[in-house]
């Protein structure tokens, strides 16, 4: 079954995930037809895709999907290249945050979970869309049933569940950033957007160089400065 539909009107591309496979279609006046690259699959360890949305910004259009794995994962697929490609993945720190629904704005996404079998609690995990990291996590005690719907208005978050009777939960997103981003980034609606040489939820970790510069140079601010031979 198709778990979400994402449509990029600029490129007239329709994205339809089913299980762990994502299918891509071109929308034409005559209907829809498969792209030259008709599908791609996410790693099976991430689980099945349960929800998604279209993300647009300076880097173009992307489809962002959440999964029900344990731990859950968030996958970002670029729709701007000649063929769709996975450009970023993120696995949640907790194994209890299996994604069911999402609400998002231009800066952050808030993924609501299935109810945890043992505790009956549900989780909401905040992901910074600019830096693509897990910025925060909160839980709803005794939610008793899976979160099924989500909406956002400013800093107000609303999640509905499948209980009988059903409940709607109102959360307020934090606007403060951890450790004030350590003066290595900008706080945007509660998430740090780090400068080029820093990373992490509080911009406290220096960006590492690939393969430690192969032991043939120095890593300075995430950039290899190679030794002269």
């Amino acid at each position: 079954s198709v778990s979400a539909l994402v449509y990029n009107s600029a490129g007239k591309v329709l994205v339809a995930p089913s299980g762990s496979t994502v299918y891509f279609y071109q929308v034409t006046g005559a209907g829809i037809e498969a792209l030259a690259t008709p599908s791609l699959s996410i790693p099976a360890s991430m689980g099945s895709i349960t929800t998604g949305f279209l993300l647009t910004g300076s880097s173009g259009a992307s489809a962002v999907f959440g999964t029900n794995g344990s731990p859950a994962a968030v996958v970002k697929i670029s729709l701007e290249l000649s063929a769709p490609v996975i450009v970023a993945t993120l696995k949640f720190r907790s194994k209890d945050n299996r994604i069911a629904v999402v609400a998002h704005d231009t800066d952050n996404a808030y993924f609501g979970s299935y109810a945890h079998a043992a505790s009956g609690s549900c989780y909401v995990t905040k992901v910074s869309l600019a830096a693509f990291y897990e910025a925060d996590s909160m839980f709803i005690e005794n939610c008793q049933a899976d979160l099924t719907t989500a909406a956002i208005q400013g800093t107000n978050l609303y999640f509905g569940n499948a209980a009988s009777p059903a409940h709607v939960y109102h959360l307020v997103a934090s606007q403060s950033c951890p450790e004030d981003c350590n003066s290595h980034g900008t706080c945007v609606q509660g998430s740090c957007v780090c400068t080029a040489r820093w990373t992490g939820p509080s911009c406290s970790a220096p960006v590492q160089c690939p393969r430690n510069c192969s032991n043939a140079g120095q890593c300075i601010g995430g950039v290899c400065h190679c030794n002269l031979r």
Side-chain angles (χ1 to χ4, degrees), residues 165-198:
H167 293 73
V168 175
Y169 302 98
H170 176 204
L171 308 177
V172 178
S174 171
Q175 296 299 289
S176 60
C177 284
E179 301 177 46
D180 199 25
C181 304
N182 286 289
S183 300
H184 296 147
T186 303
C187 185
V188 179
Q189 292 193 5
S191 296
C192 289
V193 179
C194 304
T195 55
R197 296 184 176 185
W198 298 89

mmCIF file of all heavy atoms in Angstrom, residues 165-198:
data_model
loop_
_atom_site.group_PDB
_atom_site.id
_atom_site.type_symbol
_atom_site.label_atom_id
_atom_site.label_comp_id
_atom_site.label_asym_id
_atom_site.label_seq_id
_atom_site.Cartn_x
_atom_site.Cartn_y
_atom_site.Cartn_z
ATOM 1 N N PRO A 165 -12.376 6.988 23.820
ATOM 2 C CA PRO A 165 -12.472 8.134 22.916
ATOM 3 C C PRO A 165 -11.097 8.664 22.512
ATOM 4 O O PRO A 165 -10.117 8.497 23.236
ATOM 5 C CB PRO A 165 -13.233 9.164 23.771
ATOM 6 C CG PRO A 165 -12.853 8.828 25.180
ATOM 7 C CD PRO A 165 -12.735 7.335 25.214
ATOM 8 N N ALA A 166 -11.052 9.307 21.367
ATOM 9 C CA ALA A 166 -9.804 9.853 20.843
ATOM 10 C C ALA A 166 -9.382 11.084 21.645
ATOM 11 O O ALA A 166 -10.202 11.742 22.305
ATOM 12 C CB ALA A 166 -9.964 10.215 19.379
ATOM 13 N N HIS A 167 -8.087 11.379 21.612
ATOM 14 C CA HIS A 167 -7.554 12.547 22.296
ATOM 15 C C HIS A 167 -6.766 13.412 21.308
ATOM 16 O O HIS A 167 -6.203 12.903 20.339
ATOM 17 C CB HIS A 167 -6.611 12.122 23.432
ATOM 18 C CG HIS A 167 -7.286 11.412 24.564
ATOM 19 N ND1 HIS A 167 -7.753 10.121 24.474
ATOM 20 C CD2 HIS A 167 -7.571 11.831 25.831
ATOM 21 C CE1 HIS A 167 -8.295 9.767 25.617
ATOM 22 N NE2 HIS A 167 -8.198 10.772 26.457
ATOM 23 N N VAL A 168 -6.739 14.703 21.586
ATOM 24 C CA VAL A 168 -5.867 15.636 20.868
ATOM 25 C C VAL A 168 -4.940 16.257 21.897
ATOM 26 O O VAL A 168 -5.391 16.787 22.927
ATOM 27 C CB VAL A 168 -6.674 16.731 20.136
ATOM 28 C CG1 VAL A 168 -5.726 17.754 19.512
ATOM 29 C CG2 VAL A 168 -7.562 16.110 19.062
ATOM 30 N N TYR A 169 -3.650 16.202 21.631
ATOM 31 C CA TYR A 169 -2.636 16.722 22.551
ATOM 32 C C TYR A 169 -2.032 18.004 21.987
ATOM 33 O O TYR A 169 -1.708 18.071 20.797
ATOM 34 C CB TYR A 169 -1.537 15.680 22.776
ATOM 35 C CG TYR A 169 -2.058 14.375 23.323
ATOM 36 C CD1 TYR A 169 -2.307 13.299 22.476
ATOM 37 C CD2 TYR A 169 -2.317 14.216 24.680
ATOM 38 C CE1 TYR A 169 -2.797 12.110 22.966
ATOM 39 C CE2 TYR A 169 -2.806 13.022 25.180
ATOM 40 C CZ TYR A 169 -3.048 11.974 24.320
ATOM 41 O OH TYR A 169 -3.542 10.792 24.818
ATOM 42 N N HIS A 170 -1.887 18.987 22.860
ATOM 43 C CA HIS A 170 -1.323 20.285 22.479
ATOM 44 C C HIS A 170 0.064 20.418 23.101
ATOM 45 O O HIS A 170 0.212 20.377 24.318
ATOM 46 C CB HIS A 170 -2.237 21.414 22.959
ATOM 47 C CG HIS A 170 -1.699 22.781 22.694
ATOM 48 N ND1 HIS A 170 -2.081 23.891 23.438
ATOM 49 C CD2 HIS A 170 -0.804 23.237 21.779
ATOM 50 C CE1 HIS A 170 -1.455 24.952 22.990
ATOM 51 N NE2 HIS A 170 -0.665 24.577 21.975
ATOM 52 N N LEU A 171 1.072 20.555 22.261
ATOM 53 C CA LEU A 171 2.448 20.755 22.711
ATOM 54 C C LEU A 171 2.939 22.098 22.217
ATOM 55 O O LEU A 171 2.475 22.611 21.194
ATOM 56 C CB LEU A 171 3.364 19.648 22.175
ATOM 57 C CG LEU A 171 2.932 18.195 22.412
ATOM 58 C CD1 LEU A 171 3.919 17.243 21.740
ATOM 59 C CD2 LEU A 171 2.816 17.898 23.898
ATOM 60 N N VAL A 172 3.882 22.668 22.938
ATOM 61 C CA VAL A 172 4.490 23.938 22.535
ATOM 62 C C VAL A 172 5.967 23.690 22.268
ATOM 63 O O VAL A 172 6.699 23.220 23.143
ATOM 64 C CB VAL A 172 4.313 25.026 23.614
ATOM 65 C CG1 VAL A 172 4.995 26.324 23.168
ATOM 66 C CG2 VAL A 172 2.836 25.271 23.876
ATOM 67 N N ALA A 173 6.397 23.992 21.060
ATOM 68 C CA ALA A 173 7.788 23.769 20.671
ATOM 69 C C ALA A 173 8.701 24.780 21.351
ATOM 70 O O ALA A 173 8.404 25.977 21.392
ATOM 71 C CB ALA A 173 7.935 23.870 19.160
ATOM 72 N N SER A 174 9.806 24.282 21.886
ATOM 73 C CA SER A 174 10.775 25.165 22.533
ATOM 74 C C SER A 174 11.462 26.047 21.503
ATOM 75 O O SER A 174 11.784 25.608 20.397
ATOM 76 C CB SER A 174 11.823 24.328 23.272
ATOM 77 O OG SER A 174 12.871 25.152 23.738
ATOM 78 N N GLN A 175 11.700 27.301 21.878
ATOM 79 C CA GLN A 175 12.390 28.234 20.982
ATOM 80 C C GLN A 175 13.832 28.493 21.404
ATOM 81 O O GLN A 175 14.549 29.241 20.750
ATOM 82 C CB GLN A 175 11.624 29.565 20.945
ATOM 83 C CG GLN A 175 10.228 29.447 20.361
ATOM 84 C CD GLN A 175 10.237 28.964 18.918
ATOM 85 O OE1 GLN A 175 10.634 29.693 18.021
ATOM 86 N NE2 GLN A 175 9.806 27.727 18.703
ATOM 87 N N SER A 176 14.252 27.897 22.511
ATOM 88 C CA SER A 176 15.630 28.086 22.960
ATOM 89 C C SER A 176 16.490 26.949 22.432
ATOM 90 O O SER A 176 16.022 25.833 22.222
ATOM 91 C CB SER A 176 15.697 28.124 24.485
ATOM 92 O OG SER A 176 15.223 26.909 25.041
ATOM 93 N N CYS A 177 17.777 27.225 22.234
ATOM 94 C CA CYS A 177 18.698 26.229 21.695
ATOM 95 C C CYS A 177 19.649 25.735 22.780
ATOM 96 O O CYS A 177 20.005 26.487 23.691
ATOM 97 C CB CYS A 177 19.517 26.826 20.553
ATOM 98 S SG CYS A 177 18.582 26.998 19.020
ATOM 99 N N PRO A 178 20.074 24.465 22.706
ATOM 100 C CA PRO A 178 20.995 23.937 23.718
ATOM 101 C C PRO A 178 22.324 24.682 23.721
ATOM 102 O O PRO A 178 22.947 24.855 22.667
ATOM 103 C CB PRO A 178 21.177 22.473 23.289
ATOM 104 C CG PRO A 178 20.805 22.438 21.840
ATOM 105 C CD PRO A 178 19.739 23.478 21.678
ATOM 106 N N GLU A 179 22.714 25.148 24.911
ATOM 107 C CA GLU A 179 23.994 25.822 25.121
ATOM 108 C C GLU A 179 24.189 27.019 24.197
ATOM 109 O O GLU A 179 25.310 27.414 23.887
ATOM 110 C CB GLU A 179 25.146 24.826 24.953
ATOM 111 C CG GLU A 179 25.069 23.646 25.920
ATOM 112 C CD GLU A 179 26.170 22.639 25.694
ATOM 113 O OE1 GLU A 179 27.336 23.034 25.539
ATOM 114 O OE2 GLU A 179 25.847 21.435 25.663
ATOM 115 N N ASP A 180 23.054 27.574 23.740
ATOM 116 C CA ASP A 180 23.086 28.757 22.875
ATOM 117 C C ASP A 180 23.982 28.521 21.659
ATOM 118 O O ASP A 180 24.649 29.434 21.163
ATOM 119 C CB ASP A 180 23.538 29.993 23.651
ATOM 120 C CG ASP A 180 23.142 31.289 22.947
ATOM 121 O OD1 ASP A 180 22.163 31.272 22.181
ATOM 122 O OD2 ASP A 180 23.831 32.303 23.152
ATOM 123 N N CYS A 181 24.009 27.266 21.204
ATOM 124 C CA CYS A 181 24.786 26.860 20.027
ATOM 125 C C CYS A 181 26.285 27.086 20.190
ATOM 126 O O CYS A 181 27.038 27.061 19.202
ATOM 127 C CB CYS A 181 24.303 27.564 18.754
ATOM 128 S SG CYS A 181 22.540 27.325 18.411
ATOM 129 N N ASN A 182 26.738 27.317 21.451
ATOM 130 C CA ASN A 182 28.161 27.462 21.750
ATOM 131 C C ASN A 182 28.854 28.529 20.907
ATOM 132 O O ASN A 182 30.056 28.442 20.622
ATOM 133 C CB ASN A 182 28.881 26.119 21.572
ATOM 134 C CG ASN A 182 28.583 25.151 22.696
ATOM 135 O OD1 ASN A 182 29.036 25.328 23.825
ATOM 136 N ND2 ASN A 182 27.776 24.138 22.407
ATOM 137 N N SER A 183 28.096 29.530 20.496
ATOM 138 C CA SER A 183 28.636 30.620 19.664
ATOM 139 C C SER A 183 29.203 30.114 18.334
ATOM 140 O O SER A 183 29.999 30.796 17.688
ATOM 141 C CB SER A 183 29.725 31.397 20.420
ATOM 142 O OG SER A 183 29.201 31.966 21.601
ATOM 143 N N HIS A 184 28.775 28.903 17.943
ATOM 144 C CA HIS A 184 29.242 28.333 16.684
ATOM 145 C C HIS A 184 28.091 28.152 15.699
ATOM 146 O O HIS A 184 28.213 27.388 14.734
ATOM 147 C CB HIS A 184 29.902 26.969 16.922
ATOM 148 C CG HIS A 184 31.128 27.038 17.753
ATOM 149 N ND1 HIS A 184 31.504 26.029 18.630
ATOM 150 C CD2 HIS A 184 32.079 28.006 17.870
ATOM 151 C CE1 HIS A 184 32.623 26.365 19.239
ATOM 152 N NE2 HIS A 184 32.989 27.546 18.802
ATOM 153 N N GLY A 185 27.001 28.842 15.931
ATOM 154 C CA GLY A 185 25.868 28.697 15.043
ATOM 155 C C GLY A 185 24.767 29.683 15.390
ATOM 156 O O GLY A 185 24.918 30.520 16.290
ATOM 157 N N THR A 186 23.654 29.567 14.681
ATOM 158 C CA THR A 186 22.503 30.453 14.872
ATOM 159 C C THR A 186 21.318 29.628 15.344
ATOM 160 O O THR A 186 21.065 28.531 14.834
ATOM 161 C CB THR A 186 22.148 31.145 13.541
ATOM 162 O OG1 THR A 186 23.292 31.863 13.063
ATOM 163 C CG2 THR A 186 21.003 32.122 13.740
ATOM 164 N N CYS A 187 20.599 30.151 16.331
ATOM 165 C CA CYS A 187 19.425 29.476 16.855
ATOM 166 C C CYS A 187 18.207 29.867 16.010
ATOM 167 O O CYS A 187 17.839 31.040 15.934
ATOM 168 C CB CYS A 187 19.210 29.874 18.313
ATOM 169 S SG CYS A 187 17.856 28.986 19.117
ATOM 170 N N VAL A 188 17.607 28.878 15.348
ATOM 171 C CA VAL A 188 16.442 29.118 14.500
ATOM 172 C C VAL A 188 15.287 28.270 15.026
ATOM 173 O O VAL A 188 15.285 27.041 14.880
ATOM 174 C CB VAL A 188 16.735 28.771 13.028
ATOM 175 C CG1 VAL A 188 15.495 29.008 12.174
ATOM 176 C CG2 VAL A 188 17.907 29.582 12.501
ATOM 177 N N GLN A 189 14.329 28.916 15.685
ATOM 178 C CA GLN A 189 13.145 28.249 16.231
ATOM 179 C C GLN A 189 13.503 27.011 17.040
ATOM 180 O O GLN A 189 12.926 25.931 16.887
ATOM 181 C CB GLN A 189 12.172 27.894 15.105
ATOM 182 C CG GLN A 189 11.537 29.113 14.459
ATOM 183 C CD GLN A 189 10.366 28.768 13.571
ATOM 184 O OE1 GLN A 189 9.947 27.625 13.485
ATOM 185 N NE2 GLN A 189 9.815 29.769 12.924
ATOM 186 N N GLY A 190 14.498 27.156 17.910
ATOM 187 C CA GLY A 190 14.844 26.093 18.828
ATOM 188 C C GLY A 190 15.838 25.083 18.306
ATOM 189 O O GLY A 190 16.161 24.126 19.003
ATOM 190 N N SER A 191 16.353 25.252 17.084
ATOM 191 C CA SER A 191 17.349 24.339 16.521
ATOM 192 C C SER A 191 18.579 25.120 16.095
ATOM 193 O O SER A 191 18.460 26.206 15.514
ATOM 194 C CB SER A 191 16.789 23.582 15.312
ATOM 195 O OG SER A 191 15.725 22.753 15.696
ATOM 196 N N CYS A 192 19.764 24.569 16.389
ATOM 197 C CA CYS A 192 21.013 25.213 15.997
ATOM 198 C C CYS A 192 21.303 24.964 14.521
ATOM 199 O O CYS A 192 21.248 23.822 14.053
ATOM 200 C CB CYS A 192 22.176 24.667 16.832
ATOM 201 S SG CYS A 192 22.173 25.197 18.553
ATOM 202 N N VAL A 193 21.610 26.027 13.804
ATOM 203 C CA VAL A 193 22.134 25.919 12.444
ATOM 204 C C VAL A 193 23.605 26.295 12.537
ATOM 205 O O VAL A 193 23.954 27.461 12.704
ATOM 206 C CB VAL A 193 21.384 26.840 11.466
ATOM 207 C CG1 VAL A 193 21.972 26.723 10.052
ATOM 208 C CG2 VAL A 193 19.898 26.490 11.450
ATOM 209 N N CYS A 194 24.471 25.284 12.478
ATOM 210 C CA CYS A 194 25.891 25.474 12.787
ATOM 211 C C CYS A 194 26.639 26.113 11.627
ATOM 212 O O CYS A 194 26.271 25.953 10.463
ATOM 213 C CB CYS A 194 26.544 24.132 13.134
ATOM 214 S SG CYS A 194 25.731 23.246 14.483
ATOM 215 N N THR A 195 27.713 26.822 11.971
ATOM 216 C CA THR A 195 28.613 27.321 10.949
ATOM 217 C C THR A 195 29.356 26.148 10.318
ATOM 218 O O THR A 195 29.311 25.021 10.818
ATOM 219 C CB THR A 195 29.614 28.325 11.544
ATOM 220 O OG1 THR A 195 30.300 27.701 12.649
ATOM 221 C CG2 THR A 195 28.902 29.567 12.052
ATOM 222 N N ALA A 196 30.068 26.413 9.237
ATOM 223 C CA ALA A 196 30.618 25.349 8.406
ATOM 224 C C ALA A 196 31.547 24.397 9.153
ATOM 225 O O ALA A 196 31.652 23.224 8.815
ATOM 226 C CB ALA A 196 31.351 25.955 7.214
ATOM 227 N N ARG A 197 32.242 24.862 10.188
ATOM 228 C CA ARG A 197 33.260 24.035 10.838
ATOM 229 C C ARG A 197 32.760 23.276 12.062
ATOM 230 O O ARG A 197 33.546 22.600 12.727
ATOM 231 C CB ARG A 197 34.452 24.912 11.232
ATOM 232 C CG ARG A 197 35.157 25.529 10.031
ATOM 233 C CD ARG A 197 36.383 26.307 10.460
ATOM 234 N NE ARG A 197 37.107 26.826 9.306
ATOM 235 C CZ ARG A 197 38.271 27.458 9.374
ATOM 236 N NH1 ARG A 197 38.845 27.642 10.557
ATOM 237 N NH2 ARG A 197 38.869 27.885 8.280
ATOM 238 N N TRP A 198 31.449 23.394 12.362
ATOM 239 C CA TRP A 198 30.925 22.776 13.581
ATOM 240 C C TRP A 198 29.664 21.993 13.273
ATOM 241 O O TRP A 198 28.944 22.284 12.305
ATOM 242 C CB TRP A 198 30.640 23.844 14.649
ATOM 243 C CG TRP A 198 31.889 24.569 15.061
ATOM 244 C CD1 TRP A 198 32.408 25.704 14.488
ATOM 245 C CD2 TRP A 198 32.801 24.169 16.079
ATOM 246 N NE1 TRP A 198 33.586 26.038 15.109
ATOM 247 C CE2 TRP A 198 33.862 25.125 16.094
ATOM 248 C CE3 TRP A 198 32.832 23.128 17.002
ATOM 249 C CZ2 TRP A 198 34.920 25.044 16.979
ATOM 250 C CZ3 TRP A 198 33.889 23.038 17.883
ATOM 251 C CH2 TRP A 198 34.919 23.994 17.874
#
